[in-house]
Amino acid sequence: NAGVTQTPKFRVLKTGQSMTLLCAQDMNHEYMYWYRQDPGMGLRLIHYSVGEGTTAKGEVPDGYNVSRLKKQNFLLGLESAAPSQTSVYFCASRSQRESYNEQFFGPGTRLTVL
Amino acid sequence: AQKVTQAQTEISVVEKEDVTLDCVYETRDTTYYLFWYKQPPSGELVFLIRRNSFDEQNEISGRYSWNFQKSTSSFNFTITASQVVDSAVYFCALSEYRVTGDKLIFGTGTRLQVFP
C-alpha cells in the first residue's frame, strides 16, 4: 500500500504558466481533498470531492480547478500561475465507511511561482 | 462559522519538560469531531487522535494525553516528558459537515521546539 502519493514533489513555474498536480490513492477512499499550506495560515481547503465525477469548492478555490475522473485520482490544475500560489500543496483522502474518520495525507508538493 | 484557534504560535521547552498545546474551537453543530495532527520537520502530516463531541473522556496514549472540555470548547494536547523527536508543528482540526460533503477546518498550528 503506497497510501496517498503526489506528483511532482517540487516544481518551479513562471507567472502565467499552467500545471497539473496529481494525487493518487490506493485505499479505495471515496473522499479526496486538496489543501494549501502557507506560513502562519495552517492548512486551507482548496477543493474536495466526495466521489468520482463530483467536486466542490473549499475555502480558497480561486485560481484552481480540479477533476476526479477516476476514484483513485484527484487532479489540481493551475491554469495561469501567480506568485500568490507559491505554497505547499497537500492532497488527502478518507474513507466514507465511518463518520469523520481521519484523513490520510500525501507527502506534499512544494510549488514556487516566480 | 466553524473556527479553530491555536493561540500559541511557537513553544520552546527543554527535554523532559511537560508541555500543553491549546486548541479552542467554535461550532454550531451538535455532532462534530476534533483531531490533532503532527507535522514533523520532514513535512508529512501524521494523524494523532480523533474525538467525537459525545465523548468527553480524556485519552492517554503513552506520553501523549488529550483533554476535551465541551464547556470551554477546548481540546488541549499534553506531551509529558517531552523529547527532541516531539519537535514538530501540531495542528488541531474540527470537522464540518455540509450537504456537499464534510471537511476539516484546521487551526494555524503550534510549532513545538524541544531542546536537548
Side-chain angles (χ1 to χ4, degrees), chain A:
Chain A
N1 259 2
V4 180
T5 57
Q6 292 182 232
T7 309
K9 289 187 169 49
F10 303 94
R11 186 73 186 269
V12 178
L13 290 179
K14 294 181 180 178
T15 296
Q17 286 184 319
S18 63
M19 79 162 294
T20 300
L21 281 66
L22 170 64
C23 176
Q25 51 94 5
D26 61 2
M27 297 174 282
N28 203 34
H29 286 171
E30 292 80 11
Y31 286 43
M32 296 187 74
Y33 308 81
W34 274 108
Y35 295 90
R36 59 178 289 172
Q37 183 180 19
D38 303 295
M41 307 279 293
L43 277 82
R44 294 182 293 168
L45 183 65
I46 305 171
H47 285 281
Y48 62 105
S49 168
V50 300
E52 187 177 323
T54 68
T55 63
K57 293 181 180 179
E59 183 185 354
V60 288
D62 294 342
Y64 305 95
N65 56 73
V66 288
S67 65
R68 183 102 182 264
L69 299 179
K70 293 182 179 181
K71 186 178 184 179
Q72 63 268 33
N73 295 338
F74 194 28
L75 278 62
L76 178 71
L78 286 73
E79 288 188 350
S80 180
S84 60
Q85 294 177 304
T86 293
S87 188
V88 180
Y89 292 85
F90 286 97
C91 176
S93 72
R94 79 166 186 84
S95 169
Q96 195 182 12
R97 282 195 301 273
E98 295 181 40
S99 297
Y100 302 109
N101 50 319
E102 71 272 20
Q103 294 182 14
F104 292 83
F105 283 83
T109 294
R110 186 173 293 275
L111 175 66
T112 301
V113 183
L114 303 175

Side-chain angles (χ1 to χ4, degrees), chain B:
Chain B
Q2 320 274 85
K3 187 178 178 183
V4 176
T5 301
Q6 295 181 257
Q8 304 151 306
T9 305
E10 190 162 335
I11 301 174
S12 295
V13 298
V14 177
E15 230 178 357
K16 297 184 184 177
E17 281 186 35
D18 298 347
V19 58
T20 295
L21 310 181
D22 297 332
C23 173
V24 174
Y25 62 92
E26 295 176 30
T27 181
R28 280 180 285 187
D29 293 347
T30 53
T31 301
Y32 54 89
Y33 284 75
L34 294 159
F35 299 78
W36 276 94
Y37 281 85
K38 174 182 179 180
Q39 186 176 41
S42 51
E44 74 275 19
L45 282 139
V46 179
F47 166 76
L48 295 177
I49 190 172
R50 174 187 66 162
R51 180 52 54 108
N52 76 53
S53 52
F54 299 107
D55 183 1
E56 287 193 71
Q57 280 194 339
N58 291 336
E59 180 151 344
I60 298 175
S61 176
R63 297 183 297 107
Y64 295 172
S65 62
W66 291 268
N67 183 283
F68 176 31
Q69 293 195 343
K70 283 178 81 170
S71 60
T72 56
S73 297
S74 65
F75 187 41
N76 297 337
F77 173 31
T78 297
I79 301 175
T80 303
S82 59
Q83 299 177 2
V84 172
V85 293
D86 296 326
S87 297
V89 179
Y90 291 87
F91 292 98
C92 181
L94 167 69
S95 64
E96 176 183 85
Y97 179 78
R98 296 296 178 264
V99 174
T100 50
D102 67 278
K103 46 193 173 179
L104 290 180
I105 308 298
F106 282 85
T108 52
T110 297
R111 180 178 299 277
L112 173 65
Q113 293 197 62
V114 181
F115 294 99

